[in-house]
PDB file of all heavy atoms in Angstrom:
ATOM      1  N   SER A   7     -72.897 -57.447 -86.752  1.00 94.00           N
ATOM      2  CA  SER A   7     -73.921 -57.878 -87.630  1.00 94.00           C
ATOM      3  C   SER A   7     -75.312 -57.746 -86.945  1.00 94.00           C
ATOM      4  O   SER A   7     -76.320 -57.534 -87.626  1.00 94.00           O
ATOM      5  CB  SER A   7     -73.717 -59.360 -88.052  1.00 94.00           C
ATOM      6  OG  SER A   7     -73.616 -60.170 -86.917  1.00 94.00           O
ATOM      7  N   GLY A   8     -75.316 -57.803 -85.635  1.00 95.00           N
ATOM      8  CA  GLY A   8     -76.559 -57.671 -84.883  1.00 95.00           C
ATOM      9  C   GLY A   8     -76.943 -56.195 -84.639  1.00 95.00           C
ATOM     10  O   GLY A   8     -78.010 -55.917 -84.053  1.00 95.00           O
ATOM     11  N   GLY A   9     -76.091 -55.297 -85.004  1.00 95.00           N
ATOM     12  CA  GLY A   9     -76.385 -53.876 -84.829  1.00 95.00           C
ATOM     13  C   GLY A   9     -75.803 -53.291 -83.544  1.00 95.00           C
ATOM     14  O   GLY A   9     -76.001 -52.100 -83.281  1.00 95.00           O
ATOM     15  N   SER A  10     -75.105 -54.104 -82.764  1.00 97.00           N
ATOM     16  CA  SER A  10     -74.464 -53.550 -81.554  1.00 97.00           C
ATOM     17  C   SER A  10     -73.337 -52.653 -81.963  1.00 97.00           C
ATOM     18  O   SER A  10     -72.639 -52.904 -82.952  1.00 97.00           O
ATOM     19  CB  SER A  10     -73.946 -54.681 -80.664  1.00 97.00           C
ATOM     20  OG  SER A  10     -75.013 -55.511 -80.228  1.00 97.00           O
ATOM     21  N   THR A  11     -73.088 -51.653 -81.152  1.00 98.00           N
ATOM     22  CA  THR A  11     -72.010 -50.687 -81.440  1.00 98.00           C
ATOM     23  C   THR A  11     -71.080 -50.584 -80.245  1.00 98.00           C
ATOM     24  O   THR A  11     -71.504 -50.735 -79.096  1.00 98.00           O
ATOM     25  CB  THR A  11     -72.572 -49.301 -81.827  1.00 98.00           C
ATOM     26  OG1 THR A  11     -73.397 -48.833 -80.717  1.00 98.00           O
ATOM     27  CG2 THR A  11     -73.413 -49.333 -83.074  1.00 98.00           C
ATOM     28  N   ASN A  12     -69.828 -50.328 -80.527  1.00 98.00           N
ATOM     29  CA  ASN A  12     -68.826 -50.094 -79.506  1.00 98.00           C
ATOM     30  C   ASN A  12     -67.960 -48.926 -79.945  1.00 98.00           C
ATOM     31  O   ASN A  12     -67.696 -48.753 -81.151  1.00 98.00           O
ATOM     32  CB  ASN A  12     -67.975 -51.345 -79.310  1.00 98.00           C
ATOM     33  CG  ASN A  12     -68.714 -52.479 -78.647  1.00 98.00           C
ATOM     34  OD1 ASN A  12     -69.026 -52.455 -77.472  1.00 98.00           O
ATOM     35  ND2 ASN A  12     -69.105 -53.490 -79.459  1.00 98.00           N
ATOM     36  N   TYR A  13     -67.471 -48.204 -78.953  1.00 98.00           N
ATOM     37  CA  TYR A  13     -66.709 -46.994 -79.245  1.00 98.00           C
ATOM     38  C   TYR A  13     -65.457 -46.913 -78.324  1.00 98.00           C
ATOM     39  O   TYR A  13     -65.510 -47.367 -77.185  1.00 98.00           O
ATOM     40  CB  TYR A  13     -67.540 -45.744 -79.006  1.00 98.00           C
ATOM     41  CG  TYR A  13     -68.769 -45.651 -79.865  1.00 98.00           C
ATOM     42  CD1 TYR A  13     -70.009 -46.165 -79.430  1.00 98.00           C
ATOM     43  CD2 TYR A  13     -68.715 -45.155 -81.168  1.00 98.00           C
ATOM     44  CE1 TYR A  13     -71.127 -46.110 -80.243  1.00 98.00           C
ATOM     45  CE2 TYR A  13     -69.812 -45.108 -81.976  1.00 98.00           C
ATOM     46  CZ  TYR A  13     -71.014 -45.604 -81.504  1.00 98.00           C
ATOM     47  OH  TYR A  13     -72.128 -45.564 -82.335  1.00 98.00           O
ATOM     48  N   ALA A  14     -64.458 -46.274 -78.856  1.00 98.00           N
ATOM     49  CA  ALA A  14     -63.316 -45.914 -78.006  1.00 98.00           C
ATOM     50  C   ALA A  14     -63.783 -44.923 -76.967  1.00 98.00           C
ATOM     51  O   ALA A  14     -64.661 -44.100 -77.233  1.00 98.00           O
ATOM     52  CB  ALA A  14     -62.199 -45.321 -78.890  1.00 98.00           C
ATOM     53  N   ASP A  15     -63.202 -45.004 -75.778  1.00 98.00           N
ATOM     54  CA  ASP A  15     -63.585 -44.083 -74.708  1.00 98.00           C
ATOM     55  C   ASP A  15     -63.477 -42.635 -75.118  1.00 98.00           C
ATOM     56  O   ASP A  15     -64.289 -41.816 -74.716  1.00 98.00           O
ATOM     57  CB  ASP A  15     -62.748 -44.350 -73.476  1.00 98.00           C
ATOM     58  CG  ASP A  15     -63.090 -45.682 -72.772  1.00 98.00           C
ATOM     59  OD1 ASP A  15     -64.186 -46.215 -73.052  1.00 98.00           O
ATOM     60  OD2 ASP A  15     -62.266 -46.115 -71.975  1.00 98.00           O
ATOM     61  N   SER A  16     -62.493 -42.359 -75.957  1.00 97.00           N
ATOM     62  CA  SER A  16     -62.210 -40.973 -76.326  1.00 97.00           C
ATOM     63  C   SER A  16     -63.306 -40.358 -77.224  1.00 97.00           C
ATOM     64  O   SER A  16     -63.364 -39.136 -77.335  1.00 97.00           O
ATOM     65  CB  SER A  16     -60.868 -40.867 -77.041  1.00 97.00           C
ATOM     66  OG  SER A  16     -60.874 -41.695 -78.189  1.00 97.00           O
ATOM     67  N   VAL A  17     -64.167 -41.198 -77.795  1.00 98.00           N
ATOM     68  CA  VAL A  17     -65.192 -40.656 -78.696  1.00 98.00           C
ATOM     69  C   VAL A  17     -66.605 -40.951 -78.232  1.00 98.00           C
ATOM     70  O   VAL A  17     -67.581 -40.525 -78.890  1.00 98.00           O
ATOM     71  CB  VAL A  17     -64.991 -41.196 -80.171  1.00 98.00           C
ATOM     72  CG1 VAL A  17     -63.558 -40.907 -80.621  1.00 98.00           C
ATOM     73  CG2 VAL A  17     -65.362 -42.652 -80.275  1.00 98.00           C
ATOM     74  N   LYS A  18     -66.761 -41.710 -77.154  1.00 98.00           N
ATOM     75  CA  LYS A  18     -68.100 -42.064 -76.653  1.00 98.00           C
ATOM     76  C   LYS A  18     -68.937 -40.827 -76.403  1.00 98.00           C
ATOM     77  O   LYS A  18     -68.414 -39.858 -75.804  1.00 98.00           O
ATOM     78  CB  LYS A  18     -67.975 -42.902 -75.364  1.00 98.00           C
ATOM     79  CG  LYS A  18     -67.746 -44.347 -75.595  1.00 98.00           C
ATOM     80  CD  LYS A  18     -67.658 -45.074 -74.278  1.00 98.00           C
ATOM     81  CE  LYS A  18     -67.286 -46.547 -74.507  1.00 98.00           C
ATOM     82  NZ  LYS A  18     -67.091 -47.289 -73.239  1.00 98.00           N
ATOM     83  N   GLY A  19     -70.151 -40.842 -76.852  1.00 98.00           N
ATOM     84  CA  GLY A  19     -71.055 -39.742 -76.644  1.00 98.00           C
ATOM     85  C   GLY A  19     -70.944 -38.661 -77.721  1.00 98.00           C
ATOM     86  O   GLY A  19     -71.748 -37.723 -77.791  1.00 98.00           O
ATOM     87  N   ARG A  20     -69.903 -38.779 -78.576  1.00 98.00           N
ATOM     88  CA  ARG A  20     -69.716 -37.766 -79.622  1.00 98.00           C
ATOM     89  C   ARG A  20     -69.800 -38.366 -81.018  1.00 98.00           C
ATOM     90  O   ARG A  20     -70.259 -37.688 -81.946  1.00 98.00           O
ATOM     91  CB  ARG A  20     -68.318 -37.091 -79.486  1.00 98.00           C
ATOM     92  CG  ARG A  20     -68.124 -36.406 -78.154  1.00 98.00           C
ATOM     93  CD  ARG A  20     -66.822 -35.628 -78.120  1.00 98.00           C
ATOM     94  NE  ARG A  20     -65.638 -36.477 -78.305  1.00 98.00           N
ATOM     95  CZ  ARG A  20     -64.748 -36.314 -79.265  1.00 98.00           C
ATOM     96  NH1 ARG A  20     -64.881 -35.427 -80.190  1.00 98.00           N
ATOM     97  NH2 ARG A  20     -63.677 -37.143 -79.320  1.00 98.00           N
ATOM     98  N   PHE A  21     -69.361 -39.629 -81.181  1.00 98.00           N
ATOM     99  CA  PHE A  21     -69.383 -40.286 -82.493  1.00 98.00           C
ATOM    100  C   PHE A  21     -70.472 -41.356 -82.526  1.00 98.00           C
ATOM    101  O   PHE A  21     -70.739 -41.976 -81.504  1.00 98.00           O
ATOM    102  CB  PHE A  21     -68.014 -40.918 -82.744  1.00 98.00           C
ATOM    103  CG  PHE A  21     -66.887 -40.029 -83.021  1.00 98.00           C
ATOM    104  CD1 PHE A  21     -66.965 -38.654 -82.782  1.00 98.00           C
ATOM    105  CD2 PHE A  21     -65.683 -40.529 -83.545  1.00 98.00           C
ATOM    106  CE1 PHE A  21     -65.923 -37.802 -83.019  1.00 98.00           C
ATOM    107  CE2 PHE A  21     -64.617 -39.701 -83.785  1.00 98.00           C
ATOM    108  CZ  PHE A  21     -64.714 -38.344 -83.517  1.00 98.00           C
ATOM    109  N   THR A  22     -71.048 -41.568 -83.699  1.00 98.00           N
ATOM    110  CA  THR A  22     -72.031 -42.588 -83.900  1.00 98.00           C
ATOM    111  C   THR A  22     -71.751 -43.341 -85.203  1.00 98.00           C
ATOM    112  O   THR A  22     -71.637 -42.728 -86.262  1.00 98.00           O
ATOM    113  CB  THR A  22     -73.452 -41.988 -83.950  1.00 98.00           C
ATOM    114  OG1 THR A  22     -73.699 -41.252 -82.748  1.00 98.00           O
ATOM    115  CG2 THR A  22     -74.495 -43.097 -84.083  1.00 98.00           C
ATOM    116  N   ILE A  23     -71.633 -44.640 -85.087  1.00 98.00           N
ATOM    117  CA  ILE A  23     -71.468 -45.514 -86.263  1.00 98.00           C
ATOM    118  C   ILE A  23     -72.833 -46.074 -86.665  1.00 98.00           C
ATOM    119  O   ILE A  23     -73.645 -46.391 -85.815  1.00 98.00           O
ATOM    120  CB  ILE A  23     -70.450 -46.618 -86.022  1.00 98.00           C
ATOM    121  CG1 ILE A  23     -70.127 -47.367 -87.317  1.00 98.00           C
ATOM    122  CG2 ILE A  23     -70.903 -47.554 -84.921  1.00 98.00           C
ATOM    123  CD1 ILE A  23     -68.948 -48.383 -87.184  1.00 98.00           C
ATOM    124  N   SER A  24     -73.107 -46.091 -87.960  1.00 98.00           N
ATOM    125  CA  SER A  24     -74.365 -46.607 -88.466  1.00 98.00           C
ATOM    126  C   SER A  24     -74.116 -47.146 -89.841  1.00 98.00           C
ATOM    127  O   SER A  24     -73.046 -47.019 -90.420  1.00 98.00           O
ATOM    128  CB  SER A  24     -75.433 -45.521 -88.497  1.00 98.00           C
ATOM    129  OG  SER A  24     -75.063 -44.480 -89.392  1.00 98.00           O
ATOM    130  N   ARG A  25     -75.168 -47.786 -90.417  1.00 97.00           N
ATOM    131  CA  ARG A  25     -75.024 -48.347 -91.754  1.00 97.00           C
ATOM    132  C   ARG A  25     -76.348 -48.299 -92.482  1.00 97.00           C
ATOM    133  O   ARG A  25     -77.415 -48.256 -91.903  1.00 97.00           O
ATOM    134  CB  ARG A  25     -74.506 -49.795 -91.721  1.00 97.00           C
ATOM    135  CG  ARG A  25     -75.452 -50.731 -91.028  1.00 97.00           C
ATOM    136  CD  ARG A  25     -74.865 -52.130 -90.954  1.00 97.00           C
ATOM    137  NE  ARG A  25     -75.695 -52.982 -90.072  1.00 97.00           N
ATOM    138  CZ  ARG A  25     -75.236 -53.885 -89.290  1.00 97.00           C
ATOM    139  NH1 ARG A  25     -73.913 -54.091 -89.163  1.00 97.00           N
ATOM    140  NH2 ARG A  25     -76.027 -54.626 -88.541  1.00 97.00           N
ATOM    141  N   ASP A  26     -76.234 -48.347 -93.803  1.00 97.00           N
ATOM    142  CA  ASP A  26     -77.406 -48.435 -94.705  1.00 97.00           C
ATOM    143  C   ASP A  26     -77.130 -49.671 -95.550  1.00 97.00           C
ATOM    144  O   ASP A  26     -76.312 -49.619 -96.489  1.00 97.00           O
ATOM    145  CB  ASP A  26     -77.523 -47.167 -95.553  1.00 97.00           C
ATOM    146  CG  ASP A  26     -78.759 -47.156 -96.408  1.00 97.00           C
ATOM    147  OD1 ASP A  26     -79.213 -48.271 -96.806  1.00 97.00           O
ATOM    148  OD2 ASP A  26     -79.251 -46.066 -96.719  1.00 97.00           O
ATOM    149  N   ASN A  27     -77.807 -50.745 -95.268  1.00 95.00           N
ATOM    150  CA  ASN A  27     -77.563 -52.025 -95.973  1.00 95.00           C
ATOM    151  C   ASN A  27     -77.937 -51.867 -97.452  1.00 95.00           C
ATOM    152  O   ASN A  27     -77.257 -52.472 -98.313  1.00 95.00           O
ATOM    153  CB  ASN A  27     -78.348 -53.162 -95.353  1.00 95.00           C
ATOM    154  CG  ASN A  27     -77.789 -53.518 -93.968  1.00 95.00           C
ATOM    155  OD1 ASN A  27     -76.661 -53.195 -93.620  1.00 95.00           O
ATOM    156  ND2 ASN A  27     -78.656 -54.181 -93.173  1.00 95.00           N
ATOM    157  N   ALA A  28     -78.973 -51.137 -97.765  1.00 96.00           N
ATOM    158  CA  ALA A  28     -79.390 -50.982 -99.143  1.00 96.00           C
ATOM    159  C   ALA A  28     -78.330 -50.283 -99.970  1.00 96.00           C
ATOM    160  O   ALA A  28     -78.153 -50.600-101.156  1.00 96.00           O
ATOM    161  CB  ALA A  28     -80.729 -50.234 -99.197  1.00 96.00           C
ATOM    162  N   LYS A  29     -77.623 -49.360 -99.352  1.00 97.00           N
ATOM    163  CA  LYS A  29     -76.550 -48.656-100.062  1.00 97.00           C
ATOM    164  C   LYS A  29     -75.169 -49.280 -99.855  1.00 97.00           C
ATOM    165  O   LYS A  29     -74.208 -48.829-100.392  1.00 97.00           O
ATOM    166  CB  LYS A  29     -76.495 -47.189 -99.587  1.00 97.00           C
ATOM    167  CG  LYS A  29     -77.755 -46.378 -99.945  1.00 97.00           C
ATOM    168  CD  LYS A  29     -77.616 -44.970 -99.509  1.00 97.00           C
ATOM    169  CE  LYS A  29     -78.857 -44.148 -99.868  1.00 97.00           C
ATOM    170  NZ  LYS A  29     -78.796 -42.736 -99.410  1.00 97.00           N
ATOM    171  N   ASN A  30     -75.173 -50.334 -99.017  1.00 97.00           N
ATOM    172  CA  ASN A  30     -73.931 -51.042 -98.675  1.00 97.00           C
ATOM    173  C   ASN A  30     -72.867 -49.993 -98.209  1.00 97.00           C
ATOM    174  O   ASN A  30     -71.699 -50.038 -98.656  1.00 97.00           O
ATOM    175  CB  ASN A  30     -73.380 -51.838 -99.806  1.00 97.00           C
ATOM    176  CG  ASN A  30     -72.569 -53.041 -99.339  1.00 97.00           C
ATOM    177  OD1 ASN A  30     -72.820 -53.576 -98.233  1.00 97.00           O
ATOM    178  ND2 ASN A  30     -71.643 -53.517-100.159  1.00 97.00           N
ATOM    179  N   THR A  31     -73.303 -49.159 -97.326  1.00 97.00           N
ATOM    180  CA  THR A  31     -72.487 -48.040 -96.859  1.00 97.00           C
ATOM    181  C   THR A  31     -72.544 -47.968 -95.328  1.00 97.00           C
ATOM    182  O   THR A  31     -73.586 -48.122 -94.722  1.00 97.00           O
ATOM    183  CB  THR A  31     -72.953 -46.713 -97.455  1.00 97.00           C
ATOM    184  OG1 THR A  31     -72.848 -46.797 -98.894  1.00 97.00           O
ATOM    185  CG2 THR A  31     -72.108 -45.526 -96.960  1.00 97.00           C
ATOM    186  N   VAL A  32     -71.380 -47.733 -94.720  1.00 98.00           N
ATOM    187  CA  VAL A  32     -71.316 -47.479 -93.290  1.00 98.00           C
ATOM    188  C   VAL A  32     -70.900 -46.053 -93.059  1.00 98.00           C
ATOM    189  O   VAL A  32     -70.172 -45.464 -93.874  1.00 98.00           O
ATOM    190  CB  VAL A  32     -70.354 -48.486 -92.586  1.00 98.00           C
ATOM    191  CG1 VAL A  32     -68.928 -48.321 -93.105  1.00 98.00           C
ATOM    192  CG2 VAL A  32     -70.439 -48.409 -91.138  1.00 98.00           C
ATOM    193  N   TYR A  33     -71.404 -45.455 -91.960  1.00 98.00           N
ATOM    194  CA  TYR A  33     -71.159 -44.058 -91.674  1.00 98.00           C
ATOM    195  C   TYR A  33     -70.506 -43.865 -90.298  1.00 98.00           C
ATOM    196  O   TYR A  33     -70.658 -44.697 -89.424  1.00 98.00           O
ATOM    197  CB  TYR A  33     -72.499 -43.263 -91.705  1.00 98.00           C
ATOM    198  CG  TYR A  33     -73.265 -43.416 -92.989  1.00 98.00           C
ATOM    199  CD1 TYR A  33     -74.299 -44.342 -93.101  1.00 98.00           C
ATOM    200  CD2 TYR A  33     -72.951 -42.617 -94.096  1.00 98.00           C
ATOM    201  CE1 TYR A  33     -74.986 -44.473 -94.282  1.00 98.00           C
ATOM    202  CE2 TYR A  33     -73.686 -42.724 -95.271  1.00 98.00           C
ATOM    203  CZ  TYR A  33     -74.681 -43.664 -95.373  1.00 98.00           C
ATOM    204  OH  TYR A  33     -75.399 -43.806 -96.549  1.00 98.00           O
ATOM    205  N   LEU A  34     -69.851 -42.731 -90.152  1.00 98.00           N
ATOM    206  CA  LEU A  34     -69.362 -42.325 -88.861  1.00 98.00           C
ATOM    207  C   LEU A  34     -69.738 -40.836 -88.694  1.00 98.00           C
ATOM    208  O   LEU A  34     -69.154 -39.962 -89.351  1.00 98.00           O
ATOM    209  CB  LEU A  34     -67.881 -42.490 -88.720  1.00 98.00           C
ATOM    210  CG  LEU A  34     -67.315 -42.212 -87.326  1.00 98.00           C
ATOM    211  CD1 LEU A  34     -67.842 -43.258 -86.320  1.00 98.00           C
ATOM    212  CD2 LEU A  34     -65.787 -42.192 -87.313  1.00 98.00           C
ATOM    213  N   GLN A  35     -70.754 -40.596 -87.865  1.00 98.00           N
ATOM    214  CA  GLN A  35     -71.159 -39.239 -87.550  1.00 98.00           C
ATOM    215  C   GLN A  35     -70.329 -38.725 -86.379  1.00 98.00           C
ATOM    216  O   GLN A  35     -70.300 -39.396 -85.348  1.00 98.00           O
ATOM    217  CB  GLN A  35     -72.661 -39.176 -87.152  1.00 98.00           C
ATOM    218  CG  GLN A  35     -73.146 -37.806 -86.762  1.00 98.00           C
ATOM    219  CD  GLN A  35     -73.143 -36.831 -87.921  1.00 98.00           C
ATOM    220  OE1 GLN A  35     -73.567 -37.159 -89.016  1.00 98.00           O
ATOM    221  NE2 GLN A  35     -72.692 -35.625 -87.664  1.00 98.00           N
ATOM    222  N   MET A  36     -69.630 -37.626 -86.616  1.00 98.00           N
ATOM    223  CA  MET A  36     -68.707 -37.120 -85.578  1.00 98.00           C
ATOM    224  C   MET A  36     -69.169 -35.733 -85.192  1.00 98.00           C
ATOM    225  O   MET A  36     -69.195 -34.797 -86.028  1.00 98.00           O
ATOM    226  CB  MET A  36     -67.282 -37.088 -86.161  1.00 98.00           C
ATOM    227  CG  MET A  36     -66.790 -38.415 -86.716  1.00 98.00           C
ATOM    228  SD  MET A  36     -65.080 -38.382 -87.238  1.00 98.00           S
ATOM    229  CE  MET A  36     -65.166 -37.219 -88.607  1.00 98.00           C
TER     230      MET A  36
END
């Protein structure tokens, strides 16, 4: 809820999680 992110070691540096509250949508950029 504070915007902190955590990743599995296998995807660190390659994947990014983000969200758009206005669209009530979460994303995973891979």
Side-chain angles (χ1 to χ4, degrees):
S7 57
S10 298
T11 57
N12 290 286
Y13 299 93
D15 287 344
S16 58
V17 307
K18 277 181 184 175
R20 301 187 297 121
F21 289 12
T22 303
I23 188 172
S24 63
R25 63 182 171 218
D26 184 331
N27 291 339
K29 295 181 179 179
N30 210 26
T31 299
V32 64
Y33 303 98
L34 186 67
Q35 178 66 44
M36 305 185 295

